């Protein structure tokens, strides 16, 4: 019997020289204005021709580590990945934060050898940056205490569907200067659309993020207005957006925040100051009777479920852009 020819061992052991195409989405500032426009073009095609992308990520695997609860983000990533032909693995971290059992950098150095991308929902934003710094595969922020970029991309995509040219649109965000507000400002700046953020004193958005958003805005024509006056923010607005007053991890402050944020409730009186046919927006979950009244939340002007639907289309485009290049991580030794 003829023996099969055994290839040179070096063919299996030599390091592979590869360009590193690895890109992360840790912050909404990670995509340039041009890349944000490209993301929306891809999203539009994926949304309207989903069958064309059924095998686009075949053979790719995504791991999701979530320290906090989720309905929309988890299901849209899992469903989106499946509809692209890929697989996702969910790791419930709600009982034990990442980094407690072993350092985040060691988790990164493990998972990069098994899967093609990591999606993280965390308390500390630094958990996501540490994963991104140490994993040679794309890392995606699925919400941290600082940012929620996937949400903001879906939200402005939704407004683009409604209005067409976002440069003519003014959005007002009313409530806590939180993770959602931060990513909305950064995406608005990238898209050249204007946003006013109205918060109580002491709950303003992060100064460094505001400065970054304003810097980007100067190049795109966007106007970013930070105020404590909800009426000023919403007057003439084409969309009024709010979020919960106490985010995940702030439950102990919820009662105190209800009093502080009461003047920032989105109700019919506040809504009457907006432009005719303005939309109501919310990332969900919503608390009717707190940050928004039921009549606004459930009115025909509410587009909250369009936003939720677009989470999936935008995230499919993000997955395609970050995982679909066909380039894998550089092979490195144990100590590299
Ligand atoms: N909006 C949003 O991120 O929803 P989940 O918390 O349910 O994922
Ligand atoms: N700001 C909220 C958003 C939830 C999607 C939170 O962090 O809990």
């Amino acid at each position: 019997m003829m023996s099969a020819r055994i290839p040179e061992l070096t063919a299996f052991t030599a390091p592979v020289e590869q360009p590193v195409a690895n890109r992360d989405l840790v912050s909404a500032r990670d995509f340039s204005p041009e890349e944000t426009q490209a993301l929306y073009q891809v999203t539009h095609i994926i949304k309207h021709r989903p069958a064309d992308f059924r095998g686009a990520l075949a053979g790719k695997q995504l791991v999701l580590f979530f320290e906090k609860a989720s309905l929309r983000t988890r299901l849209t990533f899992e469903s989106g990945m499946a509809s692209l032909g890929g697989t996702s693995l969910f790791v419930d971290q709600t009982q034990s934060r990442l980094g407690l059992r072993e350092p985040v950098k060691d988790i990164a150095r493990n998972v990069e050898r098994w899967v093609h991308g990591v999606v993280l929902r965390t308390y500390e934003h630094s958990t996501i940056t540490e994963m991104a710094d140490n994993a040679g595969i794309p890392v995606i922020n699925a919400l941290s205490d600082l940012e929620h970029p996937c949400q903001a991309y879906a939200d402005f995509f939704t407004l683009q569907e409604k209005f067409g040219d976002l440069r003519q649109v003014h959005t007002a965000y009313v409530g806590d200067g939180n993770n959602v507000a931060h990513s909305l400002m950064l995406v608005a700046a990238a898209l050249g659309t204007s946003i006013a953020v109205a918060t109580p004193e002491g709950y303003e958005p992060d100064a460094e993020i505001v400065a970054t958003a304003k810097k980007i805005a100067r190049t795109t024509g966007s106007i970013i207005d930070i105020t404590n006056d909800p009426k000023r923010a919403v007057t003439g607005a084409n969309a009024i957006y709010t979020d919960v007053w106490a985010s995940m991890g702030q439950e102990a402050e919820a009662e105190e925040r209800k009093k502080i944020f009461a003047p920032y409730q989105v109700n019919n009186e506040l809504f009457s100051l907006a432009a005719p046919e303005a939309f109501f927006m919310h990332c969900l979950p919503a608390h009717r009777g707190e940050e928004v009244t039921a009549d606004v939340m459930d009115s025909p002007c509410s587009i909250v479920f369009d936003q939720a639907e677009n989470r999936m289309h935008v995230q499919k485009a993000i997955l395609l852009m970050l995982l679909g290049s066909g380039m894998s991580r550089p092979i490195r030794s144990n100590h590299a």
Side-chain angles (χ1 to χ4, degrees):
M1 200 170 78
M2 266 177 62
S3 63
R5 190 170 173 276
I6 299 171
E8 293 289 322
L9 192 58
T10 52
F12 296 111
T13 55
V16 178
E17 295 287 334
Q18 290 176 338
V20 181
N22 182 24
R23 283 284 305 273
D24 302 305
L25 177 56
V26 170
S27 162
R29 73 182 92 187
D30 289 348
F31 287 176
S32 68
E34 294 74 23
E35 287 168 338
T36 307
Q37 298 290 353
L39 172 70
Y40 280 12
Q41 284 167 11
V42 175
T43 304
H44 184 80
I45 299 169
I46 287 182
K47 179 168 180 174
H48 295 283
R49 289 167 38 198
D52 290 359
F53 297 87
R54 269 187 201 137
L57 291 184
K60 303 267 178 169
Q61 300 185 52
L62 189 67
V63 65
L64 294 86
F65 292 104
F66 277 38
E67 293 181 339
K68 293 172 174 170
S70 172
L71 173 72
R72 280 150 290 275
T73 309
R74 176 180 177 178
L75 290 181
T76 50
F77 266 113
E78 292 199 21
S79 169
M81 190 65 181
S83 72
L84 293 169
T87 305
S88 44
L89 309 158
F90 184 77
V91 183
D92 182 356
Q93 289 287 156
T94 55
Q95 304 307 311
S96 165
R97 290 192 192 187
L98 280 160
L100 287 184
R101 184 164 179 257
E102 61 187 312
V104 172
K105 68 174 182 186
D106 287 357
I107 300 174
R109 300 290 298 277
N110 277 265
V111 297
E112 69 176 11
R113 291 169 182 247
W114 305 323
V115 300
H116 304 91
V118 187
V119 176
L120 293 164
R121 169 165 285 202
T122 64
Y123 289 90
E124 301 289 331
H125 188 69
S126 60
T127 305
I128 303 182
T129 55
E130 195 180 345
M131 185 70 81
D133 289 346
N134 288 283
I137 53 177
V139 171
I140 300 172
N141 180 347
L143 182 147
S144 68
D145 284 346
L146 192 67
E147 275 207 55
H148 197 1
C150 297
Q151 179 72 52
Y153 286 122
D155 296 335
F156 281 108
F157 183 81
T158 308
L159 284 177
Q160 191 181 67
E161 287 184 319
K162 305 291 179 196
F163 289 107
D165 187 357
L166 282 172
R167 288 169 303 177
Q168 310 304 322
V169 174
H170 170 64
T171 303
Y173 174 94
V174 180
D176 189 20
N178 63 12
N179 44 11
V180 170
H182 292 154
S183 294
L184 286 172
M185 285 190 300
L186 290 165
V187 175
L191 290 165
T193 188
S194 294
I195 187 166
V197 174
T199 71
E201 272 183 52
Y203 294 87
E204 290 87 356
D206 178 85
E208 195 267 325
I209 291 188
V210 172
T212 302
K214 286 189 172 178
K215 190 173 167 199
I216 299 166
R218 281 195 287 277
T219 70
T220 62
S222 160
I223 296 169
I224 314 279
D225 180 27
I226 310 299
T227 177
N228 298 125
D229 181 354
K231 290 183 178 159
R232 175 175 127 189
V234 305
T235 298
N238 305 106
I240 301 182
Y241 195 123
T242 192
D243 185 13
V244 292
W245 290 339
S247 285
M248 290 181 278
Q250 297 172 335
E251 289 80 4
E253 299 171 36
E255 288 310 309
E256 185 196 352
R257 281 172 172 257
K258 274 183 199 168
K259 292 182 212 125
I260 295 166
F261 283 81
Y264 294 80
Q265 183 186 65
V266 179
N267 50 37
N268 278 326
E269 190 189 337
L270 192 68
F271 218 87
S272 69
L273 300 173
E277 299 178 24
F279 292 115
F280 171 70
M281 303 180 77
H282 196 306
C283 54
L284 305 179
H287 297 152
R288 290 172 177 81
E290 293 184 26
E291 73 274 7
V292 59
T293 53
D295 47 7
V296 170
M297 170 80 183
D298 300 318
S299 71
C301 70
S302 175
I303 54 171
V304 299
F305 301 114
D306 294 336
Q307 294 172 252
E309 178 186 338
N310 283 331
R311 292 292 305 278
M312 187 169 77
H313 305 303
V314 162
Q315 285 160 206
K316 283 172 72 174
I318 290 168
L319 289 170
L320 204 58
M321 286 170 72
L322 298 186
L323 274 63
S325 69
M327 295 184 190
S328 57
R329 68 181 176 86
I331 293 176
R332 40 184 196 203
S333 78
N334 238 356
H335 308 290

